[in-house]
C-alpha cells in the first residue's frame, strides 16, 4: 500500500508539471486564434501565479481541516476542470477566468504533497518527486506539438485534461490509503503526524529565519523563470543564434532540471540535503561562468543544461529540510509561505528582468543569473548559521 500511495503521489506531480509548460507551447497559436496581442499572455500567467500564492498561503488551514488526501484529489480535479475549460474557452476573458482555478489547484497540490513527503519520506523520495514534476513539464510541450501538427491548440488542452482526469481517478481511488499506510521515520521522530501549530503567514514572515528561507526559494525560482522565459531571447539577441535553434534551448534547460533531480534522488542516500544544495550551487556557479565567458556559441547549451542541473536540487532539498529546521508541527504552514515566496519570485523577477534587458540588452542574462546565485548562496548559508543546524551522519536524508 505504501508503494501504491507513493506512486500516485509521483503521478500527481507529473500532472502538476503538465499545465506549467503547456501554456507557453500553446500561446503562439492561441493568441492568433483568439485575435489578441501576443503580450497578453503575461496576463494569464500572472493570474495563475496569484491563484497559486493564495492557495499556498491557505493550504495549512485547508489540509488541517480536510486532510492531505482530500485536498490533493479535489485540487487535481480543479486543475483538470480548468484544462478542459481552456479547451473550449470562447474568448480571452474566459481564459483569464479559468486561470484562477488552475492556479488555486496547482498551489494546493504543490504545498500538500511537498509537506507530506517532507514529513514521511526520506530526501530520495523528495528529489524523485520533483523529478516527476520535471517529467511533466518536459512532456507537456510534446503533447501540444502533437496536437498542433494535426489539429489545434484546443486539442492539446483536451488531451492534457484527459490525462489530468485519469490522475483524479487515481487520487480518489487511494483516499483510504492515506490513513492506513505506515511510513519510514528516523529513530528520533514519531511515525504519526504532529498536531499542526496554528500560525498566520504574517506572523511567520516576521521571523528572520523564515525570511531567509523564503529568499532562497524566491531567488532560486527566479533563476528558473528567467531561463524559461528569456534564454531564447538572450541566445538570439546577444549571441546571434537562429530563432528556431534558440527555442529548443528551453528544452535543454529542462532536461538539465530533470536529470539533476533524478541524480539528486540517487545521491540522497549518500549525501545530506545540505550537501546536495551546496554541490548544486557550485555547479550553478560554474555554469553561469560558462555563459559569462567569451566561449563559442556551442558552449551556450552546455551552460544552460548545467544551470538547470545545478539549481534543480535546491527546491526539493530545501523543502525536505523544512521540518528539521522549523519543526514538524510548523512545517505545513512554513512550506505554504515558502511556496508563496517562490511564486512571487516567478511572478515578479522574470518580467522585471525583461523590462531591464529590453532597454539595456540581453547580455545581462548571465549577469542576472550570477547575481541571483549569489543571493541564493548567501541566504542559504546565513540560514544555516542562524539555525546552528548540523546534519547527522546517521541520517543522510536530512
Amino acid at each position: 500500500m505504501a508503494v501504491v500511495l507513493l506512486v500516485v503521489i509521483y503521478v500527481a506531480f507529473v500532472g502538476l508539471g503538465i499545465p506549467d509548460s503547456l501554456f507557453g507551447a500553446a500561446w503562439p497559436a492561441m493568441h492568433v486564434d483568439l485575435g489578441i496581442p501576443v503580450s497578453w499572455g503575461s496576463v494569464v500567467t500572472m493570474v495563475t501565479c496569484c491563484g497559486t500564492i493564495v492557495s499556498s498561503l491557505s493550504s495549512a488551514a485547508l489540509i488541517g481541516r480536510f486532510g492531505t488526501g482530500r485536498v490533493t484529489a479535489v485540487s487535481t480535479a480543479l486543475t483538470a476542470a480548468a484544462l478542459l475549460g481552456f479547451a473550449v474557452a470562447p474568448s480571452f476573458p474566459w481564459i483569464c477566468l479559468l486561470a484562477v482555478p488552475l492556479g488555486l489547484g496547482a498551489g494546493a497540490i504543490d504545498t500538500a504533497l511537498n509537506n507530506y513527503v517532507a514529513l514521511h519520506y526520506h530526501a530520495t523520495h523528495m528529489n524523485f518527486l520533483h523529478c516527476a514534476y520535471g517529467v511533466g513539464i518536459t512532456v507537456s510541450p510534446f503533447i501540444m506539438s502533437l496536437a498542433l501538427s494535426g489539429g489545434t491548440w484546443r486539442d492539446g488542452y483536451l488531451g492534457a485534461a484527459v490525462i489530468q482526469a485519469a490522475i483524479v481517478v487515481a487520487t480518489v481511488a487511494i483516499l483510504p490509503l492515506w490513513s492506513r499506510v505506515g511510513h519510514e521515520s528516523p529513530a528520533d521522530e514519531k511515525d504519526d503526524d504532529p498536531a499542526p501549530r496554528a500560525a498566520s503567514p504574517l506572523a511567520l514572515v516576521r521571523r528572520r529565519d523564515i525570511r531567509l528561507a523564503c529568499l532562497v526559494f524566491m531567488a532560486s525560482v527566479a533563476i528558473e523563470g528567467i531561463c524559461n522565459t528569456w534564454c531564447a531571447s538572450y541566445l538570439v539577441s546577444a549571441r546571434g543564434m537562429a530563432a528556431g535553434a534558440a527555442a529548443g534551448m528551453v528544452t535543454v534547460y529542462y532536461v538539465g532540471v530533470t536529470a539533476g533531480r533524478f541524480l539528486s534522488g540517487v545521491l540522497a542516500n549518500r549525501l545530506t540535503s545540505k550537501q546536495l544544495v551546496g554541490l548544486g550551487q557550485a555547479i550553478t556557479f560554474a555554469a553561469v561562468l560558462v555563459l559569462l565567458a567569451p566561449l563559442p556559441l556551442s558552449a551556450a547549451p552546455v551552460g544552460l543544461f548545467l544551470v538547470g542541473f545545478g539549481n534543480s536540487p535546491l527546491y526539493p532539498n530545501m523543502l525536505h529540510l523544512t521540518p528539521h529546521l522549523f519543526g514538524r508541527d510548523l512545517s505545513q504552514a512554513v512550506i505554504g509561505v515558502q511556496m508563496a515566496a517562490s511564486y512571487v519570485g516567478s511572478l515578479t523577477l522574470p518580467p522585471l528582468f525583461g523590462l531591464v534587458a529590453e532597454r539595456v540588452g540581453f547580455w545581462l542574462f548571465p549577469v542576472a543569473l550570477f547575481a541571483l546565485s549569489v543571493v541564493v548562496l548567501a541566504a542559504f548559508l546565513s540560514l544555516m548559521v542562524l539555525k546552528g543546524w548540523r546534519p547527522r551522519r546517521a541520517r543522510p536524508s536530512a
Side-chain angles (χ1 to χ4, degrees):
M1 288 192 299
V3 173
V4 172
L5 178 61
L6 188 60
V7 168
V8 175
I9 288 174
Y10 286 165
V11 170
F13 244 65
V14 172
L16 179 65
I18 288 176
D20 282 6
S21 55
L22 192 68
F23 179 76
W27 186 244
M30 287 178 67
H31 85 88
V32 173
D33 187 40
L34 296 172
I36 56 176
V38 66
S39 60
W40 287 17
S42 60
V43 176
V44 181
T45 57
M46 290 176 68
V47 172
T48 305
C49 276
C50 288
T52 56
I53 292 170
V54 170
S55 61
S56 296
L57 293 176
S58 59
S59 63
L62 288 173
I63 294 167
R65 181 171 181 180
F66 300 107
T68 302
R70 291 189 182 91
V71 170
T72 300
V74 172
S75 299
T76 306
L78 201 60
T79 60
L83 291 172
L84 180 61
F86 270 62
V88 299
S91 62
F92 181 72
W94 277 100
I95 296 290
C96 293
L97 183 63
L98 289 161
V100 175
L102 183 65
L104 290 173
I109 297 168
D110 210 358
T111 54
L113 295 184
N114 272 306
N115 182 65
Y116 191 83
V117 173
L119 285 175
H120 296 294
Y121 293 96
H122 292 296
T124 296
H125 301 103
M126 179 65 85
N127 282 280
F128 285 152
L129 179 71
H130 286 264
C131 182
Y133 173 83
V135 171
I137 61 175
T138 303
V139 168
S140 182
F142 289 99
I143 296 174
M144 185 55 67
S145 176
L146 183 63
L148 292 172
S149 65
T152 70
W153 59 271
R154 296 182 186 276
D155 298 321
Y157 269 102
L158 181 60
V162 171
I163 295 172
Q164 202 76 343
I167 297 173
V168 173
V169 173
T171 58
V172 172
I174 66 161
L175 280 176
L177 296 185
W178 292 93
S179 59
R180 297 180 188 173
V181 172
H183 300 277
E184 299 178 9
S185 293
D188 62 339
E189 291 182 359
K190 297 179 181 179
D191 287 337
D192 55 346
D193 284 335
R197 197 192 329 164
S200 70
L202 184 59
L204 291 175
V205 296
R206 287 174 179 163
R207 291 177 46 171
R208 184 186 173 197
D209 53 353
I210 293 178
R211 289 200 303 272
L212 286 170
C214 287
L215 185 58
V216 171
F217 278 92
M218 187 180 296
S220 175
V221 170
I223 291 174
E224 292 184 5
I226 289 173
C227 286
N228 179 46
T229 307
W230 300 113
C231 74
S233 298
Y234 159 72
L235 292 171
V236 172
S237 300
R239 302 299 302 271
M241 182 178 285
M249 292 301 102
V250 180
T251 301
V252 171
Y253 169 77
Y254 277 121
V255 169
V257 171
T258 305
R261 286 177 177 165
F262 178 81
L263 183 59
S264 182
V266 173
L267 294 177
N269 286 324
R270 297 178 177 273
L271 302 176
T272 67
S273 291
K274 179 183 177 182
Q275 289 169 334
L276 288 169
V277 172
L279 179 61
Q281 287 307 298
I283 294 173
T284 304
F285 266 96
V288 172
L289 292 177
V290 169
L291 294 175
L292 281 169
L295 297 174
L297 184 58
S298 58
V302 177
L304 287 170
F305 175 87
L306 290 176
V307 169
F309 186 84
N311 194 48
S312 62
L314 185 145
Y315 202 88
N317 285 287
M318 278 295 294
L319 288 172
H320 189 263
L321 285 172
T322 299
H324 304 281
L325 293 174
F326 303 104
R328 290 166 63 83
D329 57 339
L330 267 184
S331 64
Q332 183 64 73
V334 174
I335 283 179
V337 171
Q338 290 175 155
M339 303 297 283
S342 68
Y343 293 130
V344 169
S346 65
L347 176 65
T348 59
L349 295 180
L352 178 61
F353 170 80
L355 290 174
V356 175
E358 188 177 25
R359 289 161 175 76
V360 178
F362 279 94
W363 59 267
L364 284 173
F365 177 81
V367 177
L369 297 185
F370 179 79
L372 288 168
S373 298
V374 171
V375 171
V376 171
L377 186 58
F380 178 74
L381 293 176
S382 298
L383 176 61
M384 293 297 101
V385 171
L386 182 63
K387 301 301 289 186
W389 181 81
R390 294 293 184 273
R392 299 175 185 176
R393 292 185 180 276
R395 287 174 50 198
S397 62

